[in-house]
Amino acid sequence: QVQLVESGGGLVQAGGSLRLSCAASGRTFSSYAMGWFRQAPGKEREFVAAISWSGGNTYYADSVKGRFTISRDNAKNTVYLQMNSLKPEDTAVYYCAAVMSGKPRRPEEYDYWGQGTQVTVSS
């Protein structure tokens, strides 16, 4: 079992930055690839970024490439999402998730999910 708790969301003006954190419980955190997803009101959950268990491979949605950076610290059981140059269309609830194996861009592949943290970007 892996429990995930997100933090770091909030209200920010367009062009600003936020760093989301996702703290994981359990001794097997380093065995999991981790992903960030988001869901805006009335929309489906969408892939944002993912990182392999070692941190050696990262994946991004085209909409955030060059603005967001995913990273992880296995010693701290934490994955991060640094979000820069935020836009109003980035407004959503952001979720972190853990997957043992599978395609990192597909939410249905993930085994565990956090409760989410709200990010609101004002124009």
Side-chain angles (χ1 to χ4, degrees):
Q1 285 281 349
V2 176
Q3 292 185 324
L4 304 173
V5 179
E6 302 96 336
S7 62
L11 173 64
V12 64
Q13 289 188 332
S17 297
L18 283 174
R19 188 174 83 153
L20 305 183
S21 299
C22 174
S25 65
R27 295 173 292 175
T28 59
F29 172 75
S30 60
S31 300
Y32 289 84
M34 299 296 296
W36 285 98
F37 293 79
R38 67 187 181 187
Q39 188 166 17
K43 296 188 176 181
E44 293 187 353
R45 191 167 297 190
E46 67 172 355
F47 169 75
V48 175
I51 189 167
S52 61
W53 66 270
S54 68
N57 292 301
T58 56
Y59 312 85
Y60 295 95
D62 288 344
S63 59
V64 307
K65 200 172 296 183
R67 300 188 297 122
F68 291 10
T69 303
I70 189 170
S71 61
R72 68 188 297 161
D73 185 339
N74 286 343
K76 296 182 178 179
N77 280 13
T78 302
V79 63
Y80 305 97
L81 185 68
Q82 178 66 44
M83 307 186 295
N84 298 329
S85 302
L86 283 160
K87 304 175 181 180
E89 51 263 44
D90 294 318
T91 295
V93 177
Y94 283 70
Y95 300 89
C96 73
V99 59
M100 182 64 76
S101 63
K103 298 184 186 301
R105 297 175 184 269
R106 299 178 59 180
E108 59 269 28
E109 299 279 343
Y110 284 73
D111 305 303
Y112 302 102
W113 290 84
Q115 293 299 307
T117 185
Q118 176 71 46
V119 171
T120 303
V121 184
S122 64
S123 58

